[in-house]
Amino acid sequence: EAQVTQNPRYLITVTGKKLTVTCSQNMNHEYMSWYRQDPGLGLRQIYYSMNVEVTDKGDVPEGYKVSRKEKRNFPLILESPSPNQTSLYFCASSLGTGPGEQFFGPGTRLTVL
Amino acid sequence: QQQVKQSPQSLIVQKGGISIINCAYENTAFDYFPWYQQFPGKGPALLIAIRPDVSEKKEGRFTISFNKSAKQFSLHIMDSQPGDSATYFCAASGNAGKSTFGDGTTLTVKP
């Protein structure tokens, strides 16, 4: 089944404890992206990758890191999480090198205490 | 700076009615305008999309109307059904990798 998977789906952590949210797609898509969703604010883009080894900042990159060493994986790293990063996170992928039709993962709900 | 403004924030429609959600954008470099549908506990899923070389696109009960000069586009849901109750997001993107979403509209279709 063609899909985007994220792990973990739920995570409660404490301020300052490094964490990684994994994202993997099995559709051989070039483009991958991370978004955060907060009530009333829609989806805001954190980082995106147009192809392997090429990543760039979205609208809200502060406090986040990403890497794209393989085509299928695009992990989101929070080196020192803070409570304002409590949010619902979505990974997405698209066939071409631009956003286009994006396929979203099921989401990761993160709570930082 | 919000590049895509979406309205209304919430919408209640009777079954069989027409639901209309509007979006306005600022960046003239945008060339792809999708609408996503999101059910509770799920990720957004593409509903319908349009490029600026056409003024309207219809897929079943869903229609996008696009006004390039006004920098506005809208989603029309004809014969709205309770199963259409969801959150709808408009979005816009260009050749660069950025993708900008509206704040979302929560649609409730009453039986």
Side-chain angles (χ1 to χ4, degrees):
Chain A
E1 179 189 356
Q3 60 183 346
V4 178
T5 57
Q6 296 179 226
N7 283 293
R9 294 289 314 279
Y10 303 90
L11 179 61
I12 300 174
T13 189
V14 296
T15 299
K17 186 177 182 181
K18 181 178 179 180
L19 67 91
T20 299
V21 183
T22 64
C23 173
S24 183
Q25 50 91 7
N26 63 1
M27 296 171 280
N28 201 36
H29 283 177
E30 292 288 344
Y31 180 93
M32 298 186 75
S33 183
W34 276 103
Y35 298 87
R36 60 179 289 173
Q37 184 176 14
D38 301 289
L41 295 178
L43 290 142
R44 292 181 292 168
Q45 193 174 38
I46 303 171
Y47 270 95
Y48 62 90
S49 171
M50 298 174 77
N51 54 51
V52 174
E53 299 292 351
V54 178
T55 63
D56 207 346
K57 297 176 181 179
D59 292 324
V60 289
E62 296 78 19
Y64 305 94
K65 287 175 58 177
V66 293
S67 69
R68 186 96 182 271
K69 294 183 171 60
E70 304 168 277
K71 194 173 187 178
R72 64 182 295 134
N73 296 323
F74 192 45
L76 179 69
I77 304 157
L78 284 73
E79 295 264 357
S80 183
S82 61
N84 64 13
Q85 293 178 298
T86 293
S87 187
L88 179 59
Y89 291 87
F90 288 100
C91 180
S93 70
S94 178
L95 182 62
T97 55
E101 176 186 357
Q102 295 185 70
F103 292 82
F104 283 81
T108 295
R109 185 165 292 282
L110 172 66
T111 301
V112 183
L113 302 175
Chain B
Q1 179 189 7
Q2 186 175 22
Q3 295 194 59
V4 177
K5 293 185 179 180
Q6 183 172 344
S7 63
Q9 188 173 16
S10 63
L11 182 61
I12 300 174
V13 174
Q14 290 295 127
K15 178 182 176 181
I18 302 173
S19 304
I20 302 174
I21 306 171
N22 301 298
C23 280
Y25 64 97
E26 298 172 4
N27 189 343
T28 55
F30 290 148
D31 64 0
Y32 183 75
F33 301 89
W35 285 90
Y36 287 86
Q37 180 187 54
Q38 184 182 31
F39 293 105
K42 303 290 186 182
L46 181 71
L47 188 62
I48 187 172
I50 197 168
R51 294 198 180 270
D53 52 345
V54 296
S55 60
E56 185 175 282
K57 183 175 181 180
K58 183 176 181 180
E59 291 183 0
R61 296 184 293 109
F62 301 92
T63 300
I64 298 180
S65 296
F66 187 83
N67 186 328
K68 188 174 181 179
S69 60
K71 294 189 286 186
Q72 295 175 346
F73 59 110
S74 60
L75 175 69
H76 297 237
I77 306 175
M78 311 300 287
D79 187 26
S80 298
Q81 299 296 312
D84 297 331
S85 297
T87 300
Y88 293 81
F89 293 97
C90 63
S93 61
N95 284 336
K98 280 194 174 182
S99 180
T100 302
F101 282 73
D103 290 346
T105 297
T106 301
L107 171 66
T108 303
V109 181
K110 296 207 165 187

